[in-house]
Amino acid sequence: MLSAKTSAFWIGCLGIFFLLNACEDKKDPYPGFSKMVGERQEVRESISKQKQSEKNQVSDVQDKKEEKSDAASTVIKERQIEIIDSVSGETIAKGVAYVDKDGKITRVTLYQK
């Protein structure tokens, strides 16, 4: 028969074997979660890049519009103006109207009477 030490050794090994089997890897309760988060981050980055490129395109278009509007609103004449009250006929204010080449008033500067 086996000695007491040998049988205790085998019983201990058997106990450790059952404990190790009980410590199996548990299944992930959220399979694919990390993949989903990674895909979401990629989508967010692509949307950010798309918005940045749209912003750059919009600013380029605005710069072109400003250049055109500056060229179109070149002041050719300055006209002295008076604002007169229609009821009393008194002058309310005086100023300068800046007129472009098409005869349109581009800017008006008023100063007090």
Side-chain angles (χ1 to χ4, degrees):
M1 190 101 205
L2 297 173
S3 69
K5 285 185 177 181
T6 308
S7 52
F9 173 74
W10 284 111
I11 291 174
C13 287
L14 191 60
I16 291 174
F17 177 74
F18 283 119
L19 285 175
L20 290 177
N21 280 338
C23 296
E24 283 183 28
D25 288 336
K26 305 272 185 199
K27 289 189 177 182
D28 187 10
Y30 305 105
F33 180 74
S34 60
K35 181 180 177 185
M36 182 184 68
V37 170
E39 289 173 355
R40 179 175 177 243
Q41 183 64 22
E42 289 175 5
V43 169
R44 291 176 77 190
E45 288 174 0
S46 67
I47 290 172
S48 176
K49 288 177 184 177
Q50 183 180 13
K51 285 184 180 181
Q52 186 65 29
S53 66
E54 288 175 2
K55 183 187 263 186
N56 290 341
Q57 290 175 354
V58 168
S59 66
D60 291 343
V61 169
Q62 287 177 347
D63 291 342
K64 289 179 183 177
K65 284 182 181 179
E66 287 176 4
E67 290 174 5
K68 288 180 182 178
S69 66
D70 288 343
S73 66
T74 305
V75 175
I76 294 183
K77 295 181 183 177
E78 292 181 8
R79 300 267 178 129
Q80 297 295 322
I81 59 170
E82 290 183 2
I83 299 177
I84 300 173
D85 184 15
S86 62
V87 175
S88 65
E90 293 180 15
T91 302
I92 299 174
K94 293 184 179 185
V96 177
Y98 300 94
V99 182
D100 66 0
K101 64 182 177 183
D102 296 328
K104 295 179 183 175
I105 298 173
T106 58
R107 186 174 46 155
V108 176
T109 303
L110 297 176
Y111 24 90
Q112 293 186 5
K113 185 177 170 184

mmCIF file with all atom_site columns, all heavy atoms in Angstrom, residues 1 5 10 13 17 24 32 44 59 65 67-68 76 80 83 86-87 96-97 103 113:
data_model
loop_
_atom_site.group_PDB
_atom_site.id
_atom_site.type_symbol
_atom_site.label_atom_id
_atom_site.label_alt_id
_atom_site.label_comp_id
_atom_site.label_asym_id
_atom_site.label_entity_id
_atom_site.label_seq_id
_atom_site.pdbx_PDB_ins_code
_atom_site.Cartn_x
_atom_site.Cartn_y
_atom_site.Cartn_z
_atom_site.occupancy
_atom_site.B_iso_or_equiv
_atom_site.pdbx_formal_charge
_atom_site.auth_seq_id
_atom_site.auth_comp_id
_atom_site.auth_asym_id
_atom_site.auth_atom_id
_atom_site.pdbx_PDB_model_num
ATOM 1   N N   . MET A 1 1   ? 0.821   -1.163  0.000   1.00 0.00 ? 1   MET A N   1
ATOM 2   C CA  . MET A 1 1   ? 0.000   0.000   0.000   1.00 0.00 ? 1   MET A CA  1
ATOM 3   C C   . MET A 1 1   ? 0.880   1.245   0.000   1.00 0.00 ? 1   MET A C   1
ATOM 4   O O   . MET A 1 1   ? 2.087   1.155   0.200   1.00 0.00 ? 1   MET A O   1
ATOM 5   C CB  . MET A 1 1   ? -0.838  -0.125  1.248   1.00 0.00 ? 1   MET A CB  1
ATOM 6   C CG  . MET A 1 1   ? -1.927  0.770   1.450   1.00 0.00 ? 1   MET A CG  1
ATOM 7   S SD  . MET A 1 1   ? -3.488  0.049   1.068   1.00 0.00 ? 1   MET A SD  1
ATOM 8   C CE  . MET A 1 1   ? -4.334  1.392   0.729   1.00 0.00 ? 1   MET A CE  1
ATOM 9   N N   . LYS A 1 5   ? 2.478   9.854   3.301   1.00 0.00 ? 5   LYS A N   1
ATOM 10  C CA  . LYS A 1 5   ? 2.975   11.026  2.577   1.00 0.00 ? 5   LYS A CA  1
ATOM 11  C C   . LYS A 1 5   ? 2.582   10.952  1.103   1.00 0.00 ? 5   LYS A C   1
ATOM 12  O O   . LYS A 1 5   ? 2.148   11.938  0.519   1.00 0.00 ? 5   LYS A O   1
ATOM 13  C CB  . LYS A 1 5   ? 4.486   11.124  2.691   1.00 0.00 ? 5   LYS A CB  1
ATOM 14  C CG  . LYS A 1 5   ? 4.973   11.590  4.011   1.00 0.00 ? 5   LYS A CG  1
ATOM 15  C CD  . LYS A 1 5   ? 6.471   11.750  3.959   1.00 0.00 ? 5   LYS A CD  1
ATOM 16  C CE  . LYS A 1 5   ? 7.016   12.280  5.244   1.00 0.00 ? 5   LYS A CE  1
ATOM 17  N NZ  . LYS A 1 5   ? 8.458   12.461  5.211   1.00 0.00 ? 5   LYS A NZ  1
ATOM 18  N N   . TRP A 1 10  ? -0.891  12.730  -3.406  1.00 0.00 ? 10  TRP A N   1
ATOM 19  C CA  . TRP A 1 10  ? -1.831  12.490  -4.508  1.00 0.00 ? 10  TRP A CA  1
ATOM 20  C C   . TRP A 1 10  ? -3.178  13.158  -4.261  1.00 0.00 ? 10  TRP A C   1
ATOM 21  O O   . TRP A 1 10  ? -3.800  13.681  -5.177  1.00 0.00 ? 10  TRP A O   1
ATOM 22  C CB  . TRP A 1 10  ? -2.007  10.989  -4.750  1.00 0.00 ? 10  TRP A CB  1
ATOM 23  C CG  . TRP A 1 10  ? -0.822  10.403  -5.458  1.00 0.00 ? 10  TRP A CG  1
ATOM 24  C CD1 . TRP A 1 10  ? 0.091   9.544   -4.941  1.00 0.00 ? 10  TRP A CD1 1
ATOM 25  C CD2 . TRP A 1 10  ? -0.443  10.655  -6.796  1.00 0.00 ? 10  TRP A CD2 1
ATOM 26  N NE1 . TRP A 1 10  ? 1.055   9.233   -5.854  1.00 0.00 ? 10  TRP A NE1 1
ATOM 27  C CE2 . TRP A 1 10  ? 0.736   9.912   -7.032  1.00 0.00 ? 10  TRP A CE2 1
ATOM 28  C CE3 . TRP A 1 10  ? -0.932  11.426  -7.831  1.00 0.00 ? 10  TRP A CE3 1
ATOM 29  C CZ2 . TRP A 1 10  ? 1.410   9.931   -8.245  1.00 0.00 ? 10  TRP A CZ2 1
ATOM 30  C CZ3 . TRP A 1 10  ? -0.258  11.419  -9.040  1.00 0.00 ? 10  TRP A CZ3 1
ATOM 31  C CH2 . TRP A 1 10  ? 0.888   10.691  -9.248  1.00 0.00 ? 10  TRP A CH2 1
ATOM 32  N N   . CYS A 1 13  ? -2.607  16.822  -4.973  1.00 0.00 ? 13  CYS A N   1
ATOM 33  C CA  . CYS A 1 13  ? -2.534  17.062  -6.428  1.00 0.00 ? 13  CYS A CA  1
ATOM 34  C C   . CYS A 1 13  ? -3.920  17.016  -7.047  1.00 0.00 ? 13  CYS A C   1
ATOM 35  O O   . CYS A 1 13  ? -4.263  17.824  -7.929  1.00 0.00 ? 13  CYS A O   1
ATOM 36  C CB  . CYS A 1 13  ? -1.630  16.039  -7.091  1.00 0.00 ? 13  CYS A CB  1
ATOM 37  S SG  . CYS A 1 13  ? 0.111   16.305  -6.749  1.00 0.00 ? 13  CYS A SG  1
ATOM 38  N N   . PHE A 1 17  ? -5.833  20.041  -8.925  1.00 0.00 ? 17  PHE A N   1
ATOM 39  C CA  . PHE A 1 17  ? -6.351  19.829  -10.265 1.00 0.00 ? 17  PHE A CA  1
ATOM 40  C C   . PHE A 1 17  ? -7.798  20.317  -10.373 1.00 0.00 ? 17  PHE A C   1
ATOM 41  O O   . PHE A 1 17  ? -8.167  21.012  -11.319 1.00 0.00 ? 17  PHE A O   1
ATOM 42  C CB  . PHE A 1 17  ? -6.248  18.342  -10.628 1.00 0.00 ? 17  PHE A CB  1
ATOM 43  C CG  . PHE A 1 17  ? -6.827  18.008  -11.966 1.00 0.00 ? 17  PHE A CG  1
ATOM 44  C CD1 . PHE A 1 17  ? -6.163  18.347  -13.142 1.00 0.00 ? 17  PHE A CD1 1
ATOM 45  C CD2 . PHE A 1 17  ? -8.047  17.344  -12.044 1.00 0.00 ? 17  PHE A CD2 1
ATOM 46  C CE1 . PHE A 1 17  ? -6.717  18.040  -14.371 1.00 0.00 ? 17  PHE A CE1 1
ATOM 47  C CE2 . PHE A 1 17  ? -8.599  17.031  -13.274 1.00 0.00 ? 17  PHE A CE2 1
ATOM 48  C CZ  . PHE A 1 17  ? -7.936  17.385  -14.445 1.00 0.00 ? 17  PHE A CZ  1
ATOM 49  N N   . GLU A 1 24  ? -11.529 28.290  -14.809 1.00 0.00 ? 24  GLU A N   1
ATOM 50  C CA  . GLU A 1 24  ? -11.523 28.422  -16.253 1.00 0.00 ? 24  GLU A CA  1
ATOM 51  C C   . GLU A 1 24  ? -11.740 29.878  -16.639 1.00 0.00 ? 24  GLU A C   1
ATOM 52  O O   . GLU A 1 24  ? -12.314 30.666  -15.882 1.00 0.00 ? 24  GLU A O   1
ATOM 53  C CB  . GLU A 1 24  ? -12.651 27.595  -16.876 1.00 0.00 ? 24  GLU A CB  1
ATOM 54  C CG  . GLU A 1 24  ? -12.399 26.131  -16.936 1.00 0.00 ? 24  GLU A CG  1
ATOM 55  C CD  . GLU A 1 24  ? -13.559 25.432  -17.641 1.00 0.00 ? 24  GLU A CD  1
ATOM 56  O OE1 . GLU A 1 24  ? -14.218 26.061  -18.496 1.00 0.00 ? 24  GLU A OE1 1
ATOM 57  O OE2 . GLU A 1 24  ? -13.806 24.271  -17.311 1.00 0.00 ? 24  GLU A OE2 1
ATOM 58  N N   . GLY A 1 32  ? -17.072 41.382  -28.732 1.00 0.00 ? 32  GLY A N   1
ATOM 59  C CA  . GLY A 1 32  ? -17.031 42.344  -29.828 1.00 0.00 ? 32  GLY A CA  1
ATOM 60  C C   . GLY A 1 32  ? -17.116 43.785  -29.399 1.00 0.00 ? 32  GLY A C   1
ATOM 61  O O   . GLY A 1 32  ? -17.159 44.688  -30.236 1.00 0.00 ? 32  GLY A O   1
ATOM 62  N N   . ARG A 1 44  ? -15.696 58.447  -36.169 1.00 0.00 ? 44  ARG A N   1
ATOM 63  C CA  . ARG A 1 44  ? -15.608 59.801  -35.618 1.00 0.00 ? 44  ARG A CA  1
ATOM 64  C C   . ARG A 1 44  ? -14.460 60.576  -36.246 1.00 0.00 ? 44  ARG A C   1
ATOM 65  O O   . ARG A 1 44  ? -14.587 61.759  -36.561 1.00 0.00 ? 44  ARG A O   1
ATOM 66  C CB  . ARG A 1 44  ? -15.450 59.748  -34.104 1.00 0.00 ? 44  ARG A CB  1
ATOM 67  C CG  . ARG A 1 44  ? -16.699 59.249  -33.391 1.00 0.00 ? 44  ARG A CG  1
ATOM 68  C CD  . ARG A 1 44  ? -16.491 59.114  -31.922 1.00 0.00 ? 44  ARG A CD  1
ATOM 69  N NE  . ARG A 1 44  ? -16.550 60.443  -31.330 1.00 0.00 ? 44  ARG A NE  1
ATOM 70  C CZ  . ARG A 1 44  ? -16.216 60.711  -30.085 1.00 0.00 ? 44  ARG A CZ  1
ATOM 71  N NH1 . ARG A 1 44  ? -15.800 59.745  -29.299 1.00 0.00 ? 44  ARG A NH1 1
ATOM 72  N NH2 . ARG A 1 44  ? -16.309 61.916  -29.609 1.00 0.00 ? 44  ARG A NH2 1
ATOM 73  N N   . SER A 1 59  ? -14.384 78.408  -46.248 1.00 0.00 ? 59  SER A N   1
ATOM 74  C CA  . SER A 1 59  ? -13.571 79.600  -46.034 1.00 0.00 ? 59  SER A CA  1
ATOM 75  C C   . SER A 1 59  ? -12.947 80.072  -47.343 1.00 0.00 ? 59  SER A C   1
ATOM 76  O O   . SER A 1 59  ? -12.824 81.276  -47.579 1.00 0.00 ? 59  SER A O   1
ATOM 77  C CB  . SER A 1 59  ? -12.492 79.340  -44.978 1.00 0.00 ? 59  SER A CB  1
ATOM 78  O OG  . SER A 1 59  ? -11.562 78.382  -45.443 1.00 0.00 ? 59  SER A OG  1
ATOM 79  N N   . LYS A 1 65  ? -15.593 85.414  -52.289 1.00 0.00 ? 65  LYS A N   1
ATOM 80  C CA  . LYS A 1 65  ? -16.727 86.337  -52.286 1.00 0.00 ? 65  LYS A CA  1
ATOM 81  C C   . LYS A 1 65  ? -16.313 87.701  -51.758 1.00 0.00 ? 65  LYS A C   1
ATOM 82  O O   . LYS A 1 65  ? -16.733 88.731  -52.277 1.00 0.00 ? 65  LYS A O   1
ATOM 83  C CB  . LYS A 1 65  ? -17.873 85.776  -51.444 1.00 0.00 ? 65  LYS A CB  1
ATOM 84  C CG  . LYS A 1 65  ? -18.641 84.677  -52.118 1.00 0.00 ? 65  LYS A CG  1
ATOM 85  C CD  . LYS A 1 65  ? -19.793 84.220  -51.244 1.00 0.00 ? 65  LYS A CD  1
ATOM 86  C CE  . LYS A 1 65  ? -20.576 83.095  -51.896 1.00 0.00 ? 65  LYS A CE  1
ATOM 87  N NZ  . LYS A 1 65  ? -21.676 82.624  -51.039 1.00 0.00 ? 65  LYS A NZ  1
ATOM 88  N N   . GLU A 1 67  ? -13.344 89.035  -51.902 1.00 0.00 ? 67  GLU A N   1
ATOM 89  C CA  . GLU A 1 67  ? -12.529 89.701  -52.916 1.00 0.00 ? 67  GLU A CA  1
ATOM 90  C C   . GLU A 1 67  ? -13.425 90.320  -53.978 1.00 0.00 ? 67  GLU A C   1
ATOM 91  O O   . GLU A 1 67  ? -13.206 91.448  -54.409 1.00 0.00 ? 67  GLU A O   1
ATOM 92  C CB  . GLU A 1 67  ? -11.568 88.702  -53.555 1.00 0.00 ? 67  GLU A CB  1
ATOM 93  C CG  . GLU A 1 67  ? -10.460 88.248  -52.639 1.00 0.00 ? 67  GLU A CG  1
ATOM 94  C CD  . GLU A 1 67  ? -9.603  87.142  -53.249 1.00 0.00 ? 67  GLU A CD  1
ATOM 95  O OE1 . GLU A 1 67  ? -9.826  86.800  -54.435 1.00 0.00 ? 67  GLU A OE1 1
ATOM 96  O OE2 . GLU A 1 67  ? -8.732  86.634  -52.545 1.00 0.00 ? 67  GLU A OE2 1
ATOM 97  N N   . LYS A 1 68  ? -14.460 89.574  -54.406 1.00 0.00 ? 68  LYS A N   1
ATOM 98  C CA  . LYS A 1 68  ? -15.372 90.096  -55.417 1.00 0.00 ? 68  LYS A CA  1
ATOM 99  C C   . LYS A 1 68  ? -16.154 91.283  -54.881 1.00 0.00 ? 68  LYS A C   1
ATOM 100 O O   . LYS A 1 68  ? -16.331 92.277  -55.567 1.00 0.00 ? 68  LYS A O   1
ATOM 101 C CB  . LYS A 1 68  ? -16.340 88.999  -55.878 1.00 0.00 ? 68  LYS A CB  1
ATOM 102 C CG  . LYS A 1 68  ? -15.685 87.949  -56.739 1.00 0.00 ? 68  LYS A CG  1
ATOM 103 C CD  . LYS A 1 68  ? -16.696 86.907  -57.163 1.00 0.00 ? 68  LYS A CD  1
ATOM 104 C CE  . LYS A 1 68  ? -16.055 85.813  -57.985 1.00 0.00 ? 68  LYS A CE  1
ATOM 105 N NZ  . LYS A 1 68  ? -17.023 84.775  -58.365 1.00 0.00 ? 68  LYS A NZ  1
ATOM 106 N N   . ILE A 1 76  ? -16.370 105.376 -55.576 1.00 0.00 ? 76  ILE A N   1
ATOM 107 C CA  . ILE A 1 76  ? -15.972 106.295 -56.641 1.00 0.00 ? 76  ILE A CA  1
ATOM 108 C C   . ILE A 1 76  ? -16.254 107.736 -56.231 1.00 0.00 ? 76  ILE A C   1
ATOM 109 O O   . ILE A 1 76  ? -15.449 108.614 -56.475 1.00 0.00 ? 76  ILE A O   1
ATOM 110 C CB  . ILE A 1 76  ? -16.720 105.952 -57.952 1.00 0.00 ? 76  ILE A CB  1
ATOM 111 C CG1 . ILE A 1 76  ? -16.246 104.593 -58.428 1.00 0.00 ? 76  ILE A CG1 1
ATOM 112 C CG2 . ILE A 1 76  ? -16.495 107.017 -58.995 1.00 0.00 ? 76  ILE A CG2 1
ATOM 113 C CD1 . ILE A 1 76  ? -16.824 104.145 -59.729 1.00 0.00 ? 76  ILE A CD1 1
ATOM 114 N N   . GLN A 1 80  ? -22.155 114.592 -49.995 1.00 0.00 ? 80  GLN A N   1
ATOM 115 C CA  . GLN A 1 80  ? -22.606 115.178 -48.739 1.00 0.00 ? 80  GLN A CA  1
ATOM 116 C C   . GLN A 1 80  ? -24.123 115.012 -48.663 1.00 0.00 ? 80  GLN A C   1
ATOM 117 O O   . GLN A 1 80  ? -24.835 115.292 -49.636 1.00 0.00 ? 80  GLN A O   1
ATOM 118 C CB  . GLN A 1 80  ? -22.237 116.667 -48.659 1.00 0.00 ? 80  GLN A CB  1
ATOM 119 C CG  . GLN A 1 80  ? -20.747 116.936 -48.668 1.00 0.00 ? 80  GLN A CG  1
ATOM 120 C CD  . GLN A 1 80  ? -20.066 116.376 -47.431 1.00 0.00 ? 80  GLN A CD  1
ATOM 121 O OE1 . GLN A 1 80  ? -20.609 116.431 -46.336 1.00 0.00 ? 80  GLN A OE1 1
ATOM 122 N NE2 . GLN A 1 80  ? -18.869 115.835 -47.621 1.00 0.00 ? 80  GLN A NE2 1
ATOM 123 N N   . ILE A 1 83  ? -30.081 114.737 -43.529 1.00 0.00 ? 83  ILE A N   1
ATOM 124 C CA  . ILE A 1 83  ? -31.317 114.053 -43.202 1.00 0.00 ? 83  ILE A CA  1
ATOM 125 C C   . ILE A 1 83  ? -32.251 115.107 -42.613 1.00 0.00 ? 83  ILE A C   1
ATOM 126 O O   . ILE A 1 83  ? -31.945 115.737 -41.601 1.00 0.00 ? 83  ILE A O   1
ATOM 127 C CB  . ILE A 1 83  ? -31.082 112.896 -42.218 1.00 0.00 ? 83  ILE A CB  1
ATOM 128 C CG1 . ILE A 1 83  ? -30.142 111.880 -42.848 1.00 0.00 ? 83  ILE A CG1 1
ATOM 129 C CG2 . ILE A 1 83  ? -32.408 112.258 -41.825 1.00 0.00 ? 83  ILE A CG2 1
ATOM 130 C CD1 . ILE A 1 83  ? -29.773 110.739 -41.941 1.00 0.00 ? 83  ILE A CD1 1
ATOM 131 N N   . SER A 1 86  ? -39.387 115.311 -42.193 1.00 0.00 ? 86  SER A N   1
ATOM 132 C CA  . SER A 1 86  ? -40.416 115.621 -43.200 1.00 0.00 ? 86  SER A CA  1
ATOM 133 C C   . SER A 1 86  ? -41.529 116.496 -42.638 1.00 0.00 ? 86  SER A C   1
ATOM 134 O O   . SER A 1 86  ? -42.165 117.237 -43.373 1.00 0.00 ? 86  SER A O   1
ATOM 135 C CB  . SER A 1 86  ? -40.998 114.332 -43.763 1.00 0.00 ? 86  SER A CB  1
ATOM 136 O OG  . SER A 1 86  ? -41.615 113.600 -42.737 1.00 0.00 ? 86  SER A OG  1
ATOM 137 N N   . VAL A 1 87  ? -41.770 116.440 -41.346 1.00 0.00 ? 87  VAL A N   1
ATOM 138 C CA  . VAL A 1 87  ? -42.857 117.226 -40.759 1.00 0.00 ? 87  VAL A CA  1
ATOM 139 C C   . VAL A 1 87  ? -42.419 118.659 -40.517 1.00 0.00 ? 87  VAL A C   1
ATOM 140 O O   . VAL A 1 87  ? -43.063 119.613 -40.961 1.00 0.00 ? 87  VAL A O   1
ATOM 141 C CB  . VAL A 1 87  ? -43.343 116.579 -39.442 1.00 0.00 ? 87  VAL A CB  1
ATOM 142 C CG1 . VAL A 1 87  ? -44.394 117.449 -38.769 1.00 0.00 ? 87  VAL A CG1 1
ATOM 143 C CG2 . VAL A 1 87  ? -43.870 115.189 -39.699 1.00 0.00 ? 87  VAL A CG2 1
ATOM 144 N N   . VAL A 1 96  ? -21.896 111.768 -44.925 1.00 0.00 ? 96  VAL A N   1
ATOM 145 C CA  . VAL A 1 96  ? -21.292 111.507 -46.220 1.00 0.00 ? 96  VAL A CA  1
ATOM 146 C C   . VAL A 1 96  ? -21.787 110.142 -46.687 1.00 0.00 ? 96  VAL A C   1
ATOM 147 O O   . VAL A 1 96  ? -21.766 109.167 -45.943 1.00 0.00 ? 96  VAL A O   1
ATOM 148 C CB  . VAL A 1 96  ? -19.749 111.485 -46.126 1.00 0.00 ? 96  VAL A CB  1
ATOM 149 C CG1 . VAL A 1 96  ? -19.137 111.146 -47.468 1.00 0.00 ? 96  VAL A CG1 1
ATOM 150 C CG2 . VAL A 1 96  ? -19.229 112.803 -45.610 1.00 0.00 ? 96  VAL A CG2 1
ATOM 151 N N   . ALA A 1 97  ? -22.242 110.086 -47.944 1.00 0.00 ? 97  ALA A N   1
ATOM 152 C CA  . ALA A 1 97  ? -22.649 108.821 -48.550 1.00 0.00 ? 97  ALA A CA  1
ATOM 153 C C   . ALA A 1 97  ? -21.577 108.443 -49.566 1.00 0.00 ? 97  ALA A C   1
ATOM 154 O O   . ALA A 1 97  ? -21.161 109.272 -50.387 1.00 0.00 ? 97  ALA A O   1
ATOM 155 C CB  . ALA A 1 97  ? -23.995 108.958 -49.227 1.00 0.00 ? 97  ALA A CB  1
ATOM 156 N N   . GLY A 1 103 ? -23.665 103.502 -58.908 1.00 0.00 ? 103 GLY A N   1
ATOM 157 C CA  . GLY A 1 103 ? -24.542 104.509 -58.345 1.00 0.00 ? 103 GLY A CA  1
ATOM 158 C C   . GLY A 1 103 ? -25.217 104.072 -57.061 1.00 0.00 ? 103 GLY A C   1
ATOM 159 O O   . GLY A 1 103 ? -26.098 104.754 -56.557 1.00 0.00 ? 103 GLY A O   1
ATOM 160 N N   . LYS A 1 113 ? -25.562 117.197 -36.142 1.00 0.00 ? 113 LYS A N   1
ATOM 161 C CA  . LYS A 1 113 ? -25.843 118.510 -36.703 1.00 0.00 ? 113 LYS A CA  1
ATOM 162 C C   . LYS A 1 113 ? -24.930 119.547 -36.220 1.00 0.00 ? 113 LYS A C   1
ATOM 163 O O   . LYS A 1 113 ? -24.091 119.905 -35.763 1.00 0.00 ? 113 LYS A O   1
ATOM 164 C CB  . LYS A 1 113 ? -27.266 118.885 -36.328 1.00 0.00 ? 113 LYS A CB  1
ATOM 165 C CG  . LYS A 1 113 ? -27.741 120.142 -36.909 1.00 0.00 ? 113 LYS A CG  1
ATOM 166 C CD  . LYS A 1 113 ? -29.174 120.322 -36.498 1.00 0.00 ? 113 LYS A CD  1
ATOM 167 C CE  . LYS A 1 113 ? -29.629 121.703 -36.857 1.00 0.00 ? 113 LYS A CE  1
ATOM 168 N NZ  . LYS A 1 113 ? -30.943 121.996 -36.431 1.00 0.00 ? 113 LYS A NZ  1
#
